[in-house]
Amino acid sequence: MNRSSDVKGLIDIDGCSVRVVDAPRVATVRERMPATQDLDDTADVFGLLSDPGRLRLLVSLLDGELCVCDLAAVTGQSESAVSHALRLLRAHRIVAVRRSGRMAYYRLEDPHVRMLLDLALAHTEHSELIHPERGEQS
């Protein structure tokens, strides 16, 4: 599938020749590139975080666990929408649940989720984001 070409400065990737400027660095980066399935799984996590409604739920959980009713009140979503989003987040191990009688309390699954949220929020707080899709100019 991926192999080096005999011509200096070119590599063959899936039958196409690609120009390479820094061959040793390209080789190093390619060697440490995670497996395709790992990249797909990571993209799935970012996809889950890309929905503003789910993101509101996750930010709400930064201070600790909350029940569905309280999450609905905090985020302005219906209990049904919150439950649906939490099922999806739970299936991907982004949130965990603790049951107490008929009540279910949700929390962030682990410190990695908190770290992702903290870093993303810090990035947007100190960055002037440009949104061409919203008609904003630089």
Side-chain angles (χ1 to χ4, degrees):
M1 183 170 169
N2 294 333
R3 61 182 174 80
S4 296
S5 174
D6 293 335
V7 179
K8 188 174 182 171
L10 294 177
I11 61 171
D12 286 339
I13 299 177
D14 295 332
C16 296
S17 292
V18 178
R19 186 171 72 107
V20 174
V21 174
D22 188 344
R25 184 166 179 147
V26 168
T28 299
V29 172
R30 287 181 61 144
E31 285 174 13
R32 69 174 188 80
M33 186 66 64
T36 299
Q37 184 61 52
D38 292 339
L39 289 172
D40 290 345
D41 291 345
T42 302
D44 287 345
V45 170
F46 280 106
L48 290 168
L49 300 178
S50 71
D51 177 77
R54 289 190 296 261
L55 194 54
R56 276 188 204 90
L57 291 172
L58 295 172
V59 169
S60 300
L61 295 173
L62 284 171
D63 291 328
E65 66 180 21
L66 289 168
C67 68
V68 173
C69 302
D70 291 343
L71 283 166
V74 167
T75 62
Q77 300 178 61
S78 70
E79 288 183 33
S80 176
V82 168
S83 291
H84 177 76
L86 289 170
R87 267 193 306 276
L88 186 61
L89 293 167
R90 189 169 163 223
H92 287 85
R93 297 180 52 209
I94 304 294
V95 299
V97 66
R98 176 182 67 82
R99 300 208 182 273
S100 178
R102 292 179 50 196
M103 297 296 291
Y105 294 89
Y106 289 85
R107 67 184 180 282
L108 299 178
E109 174 71 28
D110 63 36
H112 297 111
V113 175
R114 172 179 290 282
M115 191 181 320
L116 279 172
L117 291 169
D118 286 340
L119 288 171
L121 292 169
H123 176 71
T124 56
E125 287 171 0
H126 83 269
S127 300
E128 184 177 328
L129 302 179
I130 299 170
H131 297 279
E133 72 280 6
R134 298 180 192 166
E136 298 176 14
Q137 300 297 321
S138 56

